[in-house]
Amino acid sequence: MVGFGVVAQSFADIITEEAKKLERDYGLRPKIVGVVDSKGAAAAPEGLDVSKALQAKRSKGTLEQLGQGIYSEGRNALDVIREVECEVVVESTPTELSKGEPGLSHVRAAIREGRHVVCVNKGPLAVAMPALMELAHHNKVMFKFSGTVGGGTPVLDFAKKCLEGSKIKTISGILNGTSNYILSRMAAEGVAMKDALAEAQKLGYAEADPTYDVGGFDTACKLVITSNYVLGTQLSIKDVDTRGIADVSVADIERARAKDRVVKLIGKVDKDATVSPQEITTTHPLNVSGTFNAISFDTYPAGEITLVGKGAGGKETASAVLRDLIEIRRTFAR
Ligand code: HSE
């Protein structure tokens, strides 16, 4: 596990709590042999004591003093990815969108070492998704990233697997839980944007750099990932015309309300890829509140199909990591 923040810790909780069920239903007995966080790393070939790792992280904020095969200072994620024998690397370091680093180097190193990768970090995909897909194919490993779009809501595999045979003409959606939470709080209580953002940060929804949420870049990332995965485009974040919610005021929201409308941050791919605040009617299928995400696929011949679910949160997103891991396990068991 590279990155041990909100999502990774929730994932560690789930596999501990659900251990019996995972083994019984999926033959999955995950063993965590290495954990890297921003301060250091711990590794043990026989498997780390996950409860101790969580306790150390939560009480001391670090894995140091875990007392189990601790790497000396200076060892970084790349050393651990290369040297610790493992089948899958879960990459969940914070998203960085200019170069996708350090996640991009982690993912590349893992794939080149022949490890399968479950990536929750959007940065590597936003800047280099086609190249990473190609690298994984070439190295015959699985590269999964369900948790990058929709939190726990299975947006990517829903569109890819469940809409087979249909033509998807356009994709539009609310893909950032934080800005939807902010707009909802502004609309319901007249809360100021900065206060609503502080709440979202406290609840663990916002990015490490919250301008990614408010500036629309997180939505742009998710649009790129969805479009490339589902429509086979080769977009990167630079191709998306992006405007966030920073300029939306409570007065704008009130004006929309007078017309029976709401203001939402909508990402859309048709001929172009765009992100911008839009007014939609209150009965529109994308009118979801709080951290909910909603994504509509305009399909032929089935028409519009909308998927709704929680788009941010540790436990929610960790469920996507687990789904990916189960798929890797099933594919290789076959
Ligand atoms: N900051 C993101 C959001 C987290 O608010 O949607 C989930 O990708």
Side-chain angles (χ1 to χ4, degrees):
M1 299 185 73
V2 179
F4 205 43
V6 180
V7 174
Q9 290 176 43
S10 297
F11 172 73
D13 278 332
I14 293 177
I15 59 171
T16 310
E17 287 158 15
E18 303 279 315
K20 283 212 179 77
K21 179 179 162 28
L22 293 176
E23 181 164 10
R24 189 189 61 224
D25 295 353
Y26 306 105
L28 184 71
R29 248 185 318 147
K31 190 166 79 173
I32 300 181
V33 290
V35 179
V36 185
D37 72 1
S38 52
K39 300 194 183 106
E46 69 283 6
L48 287 163
D49 182 329
V50 179
S51 312
K52 268 198 197 152
L54 284 166
Q55 219 179 355
K57 179 76 184 176
R58 286 170 180 159
S59 61
K60 303 194 187 78
T62 169
L63 299 161
E64 279 176 68
Q65 298 165 35
L66 185 57
Q68 234 175 357
I70 297 171
Y71 274 78
S72 55
E73 253 179 66
R75 288 298 177 127
N76 62 24
L78 290 175
D79 294 330
V80 176
I81 290 167
R82 291 189 188 118
E83 292 168 22
V84 175
E85 204 44 57
C86 68
E87 290 171 306
V88 182
V89 170
V90 177
E91 215 295 344
S92 65
T93 62
T95 294
E96 188 284 318
L97 292 177
S98 63
K99 297 201 168 69
E101 292 293 359
L104 182 55
S105 297
H106 299 162
V107 172
R108 280 199 183 118
I111 295 175
R112 287 192 180 121
E113 287 298 320
R115 327 266 193 226
H116 306 295
V117 173
V118 176
C119 187
V120 195
N121 178 347
K122 289 155 277 193
L125 289 147
V127 302
M129 183 167 169
L132 291 174
M133 303 283 279
E134 175 59 33
L135 189 66
H137 181 72
H138 181 74
N139 284 273
K140 299 186 175 56
V141 297
M142 289 181 77
F143 175 44
K144 297 291 299 173
F145 37 84
S146 301
T148 57
V149 183
T153 312
V155 171
L156 296 176
D157 284 331
F158 169 78
K160 184 96 165 175
K161 294 177 183 168
C162 302
L163 299 183
E164 266 177 342
S166 294
K167 177 177 164 51
I168 300 175
K169 295 186 287 184
T170 61
I171 301 175
S172 57
I174 292 177
L175 297 170
N176 181 258
T178 299
S179 47
N180 204 50
Y181 177 89
I182 293 171
L183 292 173
S184 302
R185 294 284 290 135
M186 288 168 74
E189 324 272 347
V191 174
M193 184 174 295
K194 73 171 189 353
D195 297 332
L197 172 60
E199 287 172 16
Q201 286 178 297
K202 205 164 153 209
L203 292 165
Y205 303 141
E207 294 300 298
D209 177 351
T211 57
Y212 288 171
D213 297 292
V214 175
F217 306 108
D218 182 73
T219 303
C221 274
K222 291 164 174 166
L223 208 55
V224 164
I225 297 168
T226 308
S227 175
N228 289 353
Y229 190 67
V230 178
L231 304 178
T233 51
Q234 302 237 321
L235 300 177
S236 86
I237 191 158
K238 294 194 295 291
D239 301 312
V240 186
D241 185 2
T242 305
R243 188 158 62 87
I245 61 167
D247 295 334
V248 176
S249 64
V250 173
D252 293 330
I253 292 172
E254 287 305 323
R255 265 193 297 276
R257 196 201 309 273
K259 295 179 277 178
D260 226 5
R261 288 171 171 259
V262 284
V263 179
K264 293 288 177 191
L265 183 64
I266 308 251
K268 183 162 185 178
V269 186
D270 42 24
K271 290 190 311 301
D272 303 310
T274 54
V275 175
S276 64
Q278 304 274 327
E279 284 185 12
I280 58 172
T281 59
T282 50
T283 53
H284 194 286
L286 294 183
N287 183 17
V288 293
S289 62
T291 56
F292 275 98
N293 279 191
I295 186 159
S296 283
F297 299 94
D298 185 11
T299 71
Y300 177 83
E304 195 174 48
I305 298 174
T306 303
L307 185 67
V308 174
K310 285 276 174 68
K315 280 240 148 110
E316 291 82 352
T317 310
S319 72
V321 175
L322 184 58
R323 260 200 321 268
D324 285 349
L325 207 55
I326 290 171
E327 186 176 341
I328 292 172
R329 153 92 192 140
R330 188 179 292 131
T331 304
F332 282 84
R334 254 200 315 257

